């Protein structure tokens, strides 16, 4: 059949064209035409396509999440166990008889009484320890006071307090050993707690020796005028020195004089070595 004037192809021309038609071009991506979609097409069709695999940070987050889930699971199980036990105990008490409930209450009361007794015992022990400490402190304080008093009486420590200063003048050199010994004894009898004569501390074992004008106290020489410093009640000490026939009278009859001055504070600072007993010792309890 011939093509019409309008240019329509004839049957032979159409067949020739069909026989010489070029095959379709392959995709530009370089992949062969296998009938499968190209990678670009699969990326739009397959789920998750184009997503990178999880890195170290993502794996660490997953491990932490798993650990938290495990801990929460354990805690939940523990809470459930406690709730079940509590529920079981309540159900047991609800189902118990009156005698059993009374026995339980008695046991609780007994336990409370034991605990209260233990608390009372502990408090009593604490009070006893406190009392013991107080008694020990009081005993130590008392011992310290006694030691201090003995040290003052023995003349091993300095002392101060009210008293008097007595000055014995002997221009004729007639004051005897007996006169100084009488003065010491009369002052002690009037309440003198400690004294010194010309810088020599008078103690329990003090000895006065020598002859008039050359007197010695514990081996140390003393000279006119003799200064006596005494701690005690000033009025009582002065009264003892002024009694008829006392020290003031005797010294006056020998040509000497005695001046007495009461003071609110005098210092006895002469010290003597501690006398250690050679034969005496504390009595044992045996």
């Amino acid at each position: 059949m011939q093509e019409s004037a309008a240019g329509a192809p004839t049957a032979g021309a159409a067949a020739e064209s069909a026989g010489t038609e070029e095959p379709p071009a392959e995709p530009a991506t370089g992949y062969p035409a296998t009938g499968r979609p190209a990678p670009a097409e699969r990326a739009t069709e397959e789920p998750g396509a184009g997503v990178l695999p999880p890195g170290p940070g993502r794996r660490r987050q997953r491990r932490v999440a798993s650990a938290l889930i495990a801990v929460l699971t354990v805690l939940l199980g523990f809470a459930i166990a406690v709730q079940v036990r509590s529920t079981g105990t309540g159900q047991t008490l609800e189902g118990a008889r009156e005698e059993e409930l009374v026995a339980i209450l008695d046991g609780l009361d007994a336990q409370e009484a034991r605990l209260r007794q233990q608390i009372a015992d502990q408090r009593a022990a604490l009070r006893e320890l406190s009392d013991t400490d107080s008694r020990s402190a009081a005993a130590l304080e008392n011992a310290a006071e006694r030691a201090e008093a003995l040290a003052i009486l023995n003349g091993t420590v300095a002392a101060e307090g009210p008293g008097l200063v007595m000055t014995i003048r002997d221009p004729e050199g007639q004051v005897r050993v007996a006169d100084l010994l009488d003065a010491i004894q009369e002052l002690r009898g009037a309440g003198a707690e400690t004294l010194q004569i010309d810088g020599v501390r008078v103690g329990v074992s003090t000895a006065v020796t020598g002859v008039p004008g050359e007197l010695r106290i514990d081996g140390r020489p003393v000279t006119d005028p003799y200064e006596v410093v005494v701690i005690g009640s000033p009025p009582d000490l002065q009264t003892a020195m002024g009694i008829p026939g006392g020290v003031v009278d005797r010294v006056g009859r020998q040509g000497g004089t005695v001046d007495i001055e009461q003071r609110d504070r005098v210092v006895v600072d002469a010290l003597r070595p501690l006398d250690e007993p050679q034969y005496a010792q504390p009595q044992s309890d045996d």
Side-chain angles (χ1 to χ4, degrees):
M1 183 183 297
Q2 298 292 324
E3 188 178 16
S4 64
T10 60
E16 184 178 0
S17 299
T20 60
E21 186 178 0
E22 296 180 357
E26 293 180 358
T29 59
Y31 288 89
T34 58
R36 298 179 182 177
E41 296 176 352
R42 288 200 304 269
T44 58
E45 295 177 2
E46 295 181 1
V51 180
L52 296 177
R58 183 68 60 83
R59 289 195 296 271
R60 188 182 303 109
Q61 292 179 358
R62 289 181 179 179
R63 287 197 296 270
V64 172
S66 300
L68 290 176
I69 293 173
V71 171
L72 291 176
T73 303
V74 173
L75 292 177
L76 180 60
F78 178 75
I80 294 174
V82 172
Q83 183 65 28
V84 170
R85 178 173 295 182
S86 301
T87 304
T89 303
Q91 293 175 354
T92 302
L93 293 178
E94 291 177 358
R97 294 177 299 177
E98 182 177 358
E99 295 81 0
E100 295 176 348
L101 295 176
V102 171
I104 294 174
L105 290 177
D106 291 342
L108 293 176
D109 291 340
Q111 184 178 4
E112 181 182 3
R114 288 194 299 270
L115 293 176
R116 291 182 180 276
Q117 184 61 40
Q118 292 178 1
I119 294 174
D121 294 341
Q122 295 296 327
R123 289 179 176 175
L126 180 60
R127 286 195 300 269
E128 184 177 357
L129 290 175
S130 300
D131 294 341
T132 302
D133 293 340
S134 300
R135 288 194 297 269
S136 299
L140 289 175
E141 184 178 359
N142 187 22
E145 292 177 354
R146 293 183 61 185
E148 184 177 358
L150 291 175
I152 292 175
L153 295 176
N154 290 330
T156 57
V157 296
E160 64 177 9
L164 56 82
V165 176
M166 183 172 63
T167 303
I168 302 174
R169 292 181 172 85
D170 182 24
E172 302 295 332
Q174 298 298 316
V175 175
R176 303 165 301 172
V177 170
D179 297 330
L180 287 183
L181 286 176
D182 289 342
I184 293 172
Q185 295 299 330
E186 290 177 8
L187 288 171
R188 284 176 171 171
E193 295 178 354
T194 186
L195 69 151
Q196 66 185 32
I197 301 175
D198 277 0
V200 180
R201 189 70 169 266
V202 177
V204 177
S205 60
T206 293
V208 181
T209 58
V211 296
E214 296 181 358
L215 299 179
R216 293 176 176 272
I217 299 178
D218 291 336
R220 296 177 57 181
V222 293
T223 58
D224 174 68
Y226 309 105
E227 183 184 62
V228 182
V229 182
V230 192
I231 294 179
S233 173
D236 295 343
L237 296 175
Q238 185 166 5
T239 300
M241 293 294 97
I243 60 175
V247 174
V248 175
D249 283 350
R250 288 197 298 273
V251 172
R253 288 196 299 267
Q254 295 169 0
T257 59
V258 178
D259 297 330
I260 299 176
E261 181 184 359
Q262 298 185 20
R263 297 182 182 179
D264 295 333
R265 178 180 179 273
V266 297
V267 177
V268 177
D269 53 3
L271 304 179
R272 61 182 294 115
L274 181 63
D275 296 331
E276 296 183 1
Q278 183 177 359
Y279 304 103
Q281 59 183 0
Q283 182 180 5
S284 60
D285 297 334
D286 297 340

